[in-house]
Amino acid sequence: MAAHQEEEGGIAAGEAKAGVGVVAGARGPTLGAPLVEYLLRLGDDRLILGHRMSEWTGHGPILEEDIATANIALDLIGQASQLLKLAGETEGKGRDENALAYFRDGTQFRNCLLVELPKGDFGDTMVRQFLFDAHSVLLLDELTKCGHAELAAIAAKAIKEDKYHLRHSGEWVVRLGDGTAESHARVQASLDRLWKYTGELFVSDEIDRAVAAAGITIDLAGIKSRWDAIVNDVLARATLTRPADGPMQQGGRRGRHTEHIGHLLATMQSVARAHPGATW
Amino acid sequence: MQTFSRDRLYEILGTVPDPEVPVISVVELGIVRDASQRDDGTVDVTITPTYSGCPAMFEIERDVVAALTAAGAPRVEVKTVLSPAWTTDWIPEPAREKLRKYGIAPPGPANDGGLVALVRAKPPVQCPWCGSRNTTLKSEFGSTACKAIHVCNDCSQPFDEFKAI
């Protein structure tokens, strides 16, 4: 995967550190740049994964899954909309969720690399979704208890949806892994291919540390051990082999993406950019 | 200036059907969280979405404004809140009966037994058509975000279930 060079608009570690500081605003004590970055990471993960899921609409392998993938996409994009709205309000520069979704370029997106990879076949999609859902449920559970009231409210809403998503994707991993020789071999290959993108879900950096001042302290090590337990349980039931942890791919959190993000955004943003300000 | 008591506002809002499940109102569904009138006559309504991506929220807001305006409210302001997160436990029993008659199995208790429930532990859902419990879940995702699809093994009818969240 060729990662893009960091361009203007991408945040550098120094800049992020410089932005740390508690400012008392109308919304109570909030952080400046690091909190915006943090919310963009959460929102962009769900926006980009939601878009990838929406690519199955009309193309699902069976009608029920066509409907399920569309519903999951809708949930994720709804969650993204709330997170990006909060990011825009926190930033205070007049950008709403639509401006953030449709008028940023690739290097300004903060999603992890896992969610932007092409949807692949249905097995690829379900393995990716499972790896993400297991992390998301655990992270959202932590966020419901965080000291940032608005973020906690978004998380409390989203976790109800993600529990359904996790059960759905987990069941499919078991069904395909413990299915036919063909389905087993294909989802094992999906898992082997995607594994190197899971490490980024657990990377903690200066942004994570800085948002502690806004009451957001997430026990990432605790999430990792619980994530391992969920993944090991489902993979065992699916008769799949957990890949060894090798070098992990990362960069999305700082705007260094795979080549796939540009193609995705070209589709996702084309209507909004062709007709800026259009409403219906 | 026309004044509205809280009860009267809820009565008016009780005539606004949910756009996706029109057999029950937005009040019965628990979407309306508060309604009050200011001294200057403005009516404030607080609503909450069922699901994060519920596409009916804009329509609900429009319908709420239209109903109250038709009843004589000079101005209506609708605010959306996320907390406390909507739960199907807010749907009262009479509304559940309306859902059943409409062919939608009402939601069970929202407590689904933990954070990670990889296997749906709930008993089979009762068929709203024939009352049989010999039913099979076909998909936890249905025609709208809030519904799952089941099929009855006795009367052979497919039916929706209002998902408990």
Side-chain angles (χ1 to χ4, degrees):
Chain A
M1 295 291 169
H4 286 243
Q5 288 295 307
E6 198 162 290
E7 292 169 14
E8 201 172 343
I11 192 160
E15 280 176 59
K17 274 180 189 147
V20 178
V22 179
V23 289
R27 315 176 71 84
T30 54
L31 285 162
L35 182 55
V36 176
E37 281 287 309
Y38 190 78
L39 294 168
L40 289 176
R41 291 174 177 188
L42 292 172
D44 288 348
D45 277 356
R46 285 152 188 84
L47 176 65
I48 299 300
L49 187 59
H51 181 82
R52 282 297 186 212
M53 215 40 161
S54 79
E55 293 174 345
W56 281 102
T57 308
H59 302 274
I62 52 173
L63 180 60
E64 285 84 351
E65 286 311 305
D66 203 295
I67 294 169
T69 48
N71 267 293
I72 293 165
L74 187 63
D75 287 341
L76 290 168
I77 292 167
Q79 295 167 10
S81 170
Q82 291 165 5
L83 289 161
L84 294 180
K85 180 169 182 277
L86 184 56
E89 288 168 0
T90 306
E91 182 191 51
K93 291 181 185 166
R95 292 201 286 183
D96 65 6
E97 63 273 31
N98 288 321
L100 288 168
Y102 296 123
F103 294 94
R104 279 182 299 154
D105 293 332
T107 54
Q108 295 167 324
F109 274 77
R110 294 292 177 263
N111 58 279
C112 62
L113 301 179
L114 177 68
V115 299
E116 71 193 40
L117 302 173
K119 76 181 195 303
D121 64 20
F122 191 69
D124 291 325
T125 287
M126 283 301 133
V127 171
R128 183 242 304 268
Q129 191 69 33
F130 167 67
L131 296 170
F132 180 86
D133 288 342
H135 175 267
S136 183
V137 163
L138 298 171
L139 178 64
L140 291 172
D141 185 44
E142 292 282 315
L143 289 172
T144 60
K145 296 173 250 174
C146 82
H148 191 291
E150 286 153 307
L151 179 56
I154 293 171
K157 182 113 208 102
I159 193 169
K160 291 172 177 243
E161 296 151 5
D162 281 24
K163 286 198 282 191
Y164 271 96
H165 301 175
L166 174 59
R167 185 156 66 228
H168 175 261
S169 59
E171 282 176 353
W172 270 109
V173 170
V174 172
R175 202 173 284 131
L176 293 169
D178 192 22
T180 64
E182 170 79 11
S183 71
H184 175 89
R186 284 173 67 174
V187 288
Q188 182 67 57
S190 304
L191 186 62
D192 294 344
R193 225 176 8 253
L194 292 168
W195 195 254
K196 60 179 170 289
Y197 297 97
T198 57
E200 193 171 21
L201 294 169
F202 303 100
V203 171
S204 177
D205 64 10
E206 75 283 353
I207 297 292
D208 296 272
R209 289 188 287 279
V211 295
I216 303 166
T217 49
I218 303 301
D219 174 16
L220 264 182
I223 290 180
K224 176 66 164 66
S225 65
R226 294 164 74 195
W227 183 85
D228 281 336
I230 297 170
V231 168
N232 291 345
D233 173 44
V234 167
L235 295 187
R237 285 196 266 160
T239 71
L240 293 169
T241 305
R242 179 179 165 128
D245 285 341
M248 292 287 179
Q249 292 283 347
Q250 55 174 296
R253 299 285 185 231
R254 296 181 181 281
R256 290 190 291 272
H257 290 277
T258 67
E259 66 270 34
H260 304 296
I261 191 87
H263 296 277
L264 182 152
L265 294 180
T267 303
M268 190 184 86
Q269 297 177 331
S270 62
V271 173
R273 292 195 179 206
H275 308 279
T279 56
W280 61 83
Chain B
M1 183 183 76
Q2 195 164 351
T3 58
F4 298 91
S5 66
R6 192 168 184 277
D7 285 352
R8 176 65 189 134
L9 290 173
Y10 268 79
E11 202 181 318
I12 297 161
L13 293 168
T15 66
V16 178
D18 176 73
E20 288 178 341
V21 191
V23 71
I24 59 174
S25 75
V26 292
V27 172
E28 289 173 305
L29 195 51
I31 291 172
V32 174
R33 303 311 302 154
D34 196 21
S36 60
Q37 189 176 28
R38 294 183 211 166
D39 292 341
D40 71 357
T42 305
V43 172
D44 290 300
V45 179
T46 305
I47 58 175
T48 194
T50 54
Y51 282 75
S52 298
C54 179
M57 287 309 284
F58 300 107
E59 203 175 337
I60 290 170
E61 187 172 331
R62 200 185 55 205
D63 293 349
V64 161
V65 172
L68 290 167
T69 305
R75 275 175 309 283
V76 182
E77 288 191 11
V78 181
K79 183 175 75 170
T80 301
V81 296
L82 293 180
S83 184
W86 180 79
T87 167
T88 41
D89 288 348
W90 291 343
I91 302 174
E93 187 49 44
R96 288 166 189 258
E97 190 50 37
K98 288 184 196 171
L99 287 173
R100 212 174 278 122
K101 285 192 177 139
Y102 191 62
I104 299 173
N111 182 2
D112 60 358
L115 192 57
V116 182
L118 288 175
V119 176
R120 185 180 157 114
K122 295 173 193 170
V125 171
Q126 189 172 23
C127 173
W129 301 113
C130 74
S132 168
R133 289 198 177 272
N134 179 20
T135 63
T136 305
L137 172 70
K138 298 299 282 185
S139 174
E140 289 201 302
F141 298 88
S143 57
T144 67
C146 55
K147 297 199 221 82
I149 306 169
H150 298 254
V151 67
C152 178
N153 301 317
D154 284 338
C155 72
S156 303
Q157 286 292 321
F159 64 91
D160 280 338
E161 175 210 9
F162 215 105
K163 288 196 285 203
I165 70 165

